[in-house]
Amino acid sequence: MLSDPTLAQELREAMRPLFRRLNAARTMSLGKSGILAQLIEQGPTTASELAASQQITPQAVTAALREMDSAQLIERTPDEVDRRRIWVSITAAGRQRLAADRAAGQAWLDGALTERLDDEERAALRTALPALRALTGERTLSGERTFSGERSVEGTAERTDV
């Protein structure tokens, strides 16, 4: 299949304002939200596992966890066997904060879908969802992966925007 740089550029340009609007009411960075979401989805984990899965530097994770610990969004618990290992888990306050951040963007998007798009446009978006998920290997609402295999992170830059 041939590359389609025009499609890639148009998709990026269409998504940029949408992404900005969805995140306008956030009270924490996307990196911190990603960490909290992973803790909800996968349960307690270590800082190094968070860094690897979130594709951010260990230093950025450490700083983010320090801030989230101060805000009581996470808690750290030493491993019972290996006291050097620290387990990170989300607190009730962390769950509430993440839910509030998500709800603000969700409310805007729900209203925009209803008010700005007709039935045919909403159906076209629904049809495009599997393709959009396949671009990143994200899970569907049912929890299924949209592709098989592991996502490669070779050659990608690590994010530090937590």
Side-chain angles (χ1 to χ4, degrees), residues 10 26 28 33 40 44 73 83 110 119 133 137 143 149 153 162:
E10 288 182 24
R26 286 193 171 275
M28 66 183 144
S33 294
I40 288 173
L73 303 178
R83 300 307 261 174
D110 185 48
D119 291 342
R133 287 188 180 110
V153 294
V162 289

Side-chain angles (χ1 to χ4, degrees), residues 5-98:
T6 303
L7 175 60
Q9 180 179 355
E10 288 182 24
L11 181 59
R12 186 186 72 243
E13 289 174 3
M15 291 179 61
R16 184 180 303 128
L18 177 64
F19 189 71
R20 258 192 228 123
R21 184 58 186 92
L22 273 170
N23 294 303
R26 286 193 171 275
T27 62
M28 66 183 144
S29 72
L30 291 175
K32 289 179 185 140
S33 294
I35 289 170
L36 293 178
Q38 180 176 341
L39 292 171
I40 288 173
E41 291 170 12
Q42 298 179 356
T45 190
T46 64
S48 59
E49 291 168 348
L50 286 168
S53 66
Q54 296 294 311
Q55 299 178 21
I56 53 181
T57 65
Q59 297 84 354
V61 167
T62 299
L65 291 177
R66 188 178 315 114
E67 290 177 29
M68 291 190 291
D69 194 18
S70 293
Q72 299 179 337
L73 303 178
I74 59 138
E75 65 181 5
R76 301 180 206 205
T77 308
D79 189 279
E80 292 180 10
V81 176
D82 182 354
R83 300 307 261 174
R84 296 171 296 173
R85 177 178 279 191
I86 304 295
W87 293 101
V88 180
S89 58
I90 190 167
T91 63
R95 288 176 186 277
Q96 291 171 347
R97 177 89 173 269
L98 182 61

Side-chain angles (χ1 to χ4, degrees), residues 107-127:
W108 172 80
L109 184 56
D110 185 48
L113 288 170
T114 302
E115 297 165 12
R116 298 179 185 177
L117 301 182
D118 61 29
D119 291 342
E120 189 175 301
E121 291 167 321
R122 284 191 299 276
L125 276 178
R126 188 169 283 112
T127 301

